[in-house]
Amino acid sequence: HPFGNFVVQHILEHGSPEHRQRMVIALCEDAGRLARHRIASNVVRAALIHAQPQDRAELVQALAPDRQELLNLGKHKIGSFVCREIKLLSKKHDA
């Protein structure tokens, strides 16, 4: 459903840590495809922003298990926005 993503984003932003973790686990099952989907990519980005550090790391691993997959994601017209979020998070983590 095109508006369901807003509900999921709201849960990721305002839900309990347990709810966020469950969402991330579900996203990890098909992270690559979801990151390239016009609507679902917004949910993936919200998960990257709001998830706990360990859950975030698992999601990043699911999205880009290796350098080549990260490059492929970055070249995709929709996936590039998710890749940009990963890059921003890594800069925050390094700072």
Side-chain angles (χ1 to χ4, degrees), residues 82-95:
V82 173
C83 193
R84 187 176 308 151
E85 198 62 54
I86 294 170
K87 186 177 177 181
L88 287 172
L89 289 168
S90 69
K91 284 184 178 183
K92 288 179 184 177
H93 185 275
D94 291 342

Side-chain angles (χ1 to χ4, degrees), residues 46-58:
L48 289 167
I49 293 167
H50 300 294
Q52 298 296 319
Q54 177 62 35
D55 296 331
R56 183 180 303 128
E58 290 178 24

Side-chain angles (χ1 to χ4, degrees), residues 35-46:
R36 290 168 174 85
H37 187 274
R38 182 176 60 91
I39 295 171
S41 65
N42 294 313
V43 173
V44 175
R45 288 178 57 227

Side-chain angles (χ1 to χ4, degrees), residues 13-67:
E13 186 175 351
H14 302 290
S16 71
E18 182 182 346
H19 289 143
R20 290 181 194 148
Q21 182 182 41
R22 287 181 183 206
M23 293 294 206
V24 170
I25 290 169
L27 291 172
C28 285
E29 292 180 12
D30 201 9
R33 185 180 67 84
L34 295 172
R36 290 168 174 85
H37 187 274
R38 182 176 60 91
I39 295 171
S41 65
N42 294 313
V43 173
V44 175
R45 288 178 57 227
L48 289 167
I49 293 167
H50 300 294
Q52 298 296 319
Q54 177 62 35
D55 296 331
R56 183 180 303 128
E58 290 178 24
L59 181 56
V60 169
Q61 182 63 32
L63 288 164
D66 57 46
R67 179 176 162 78

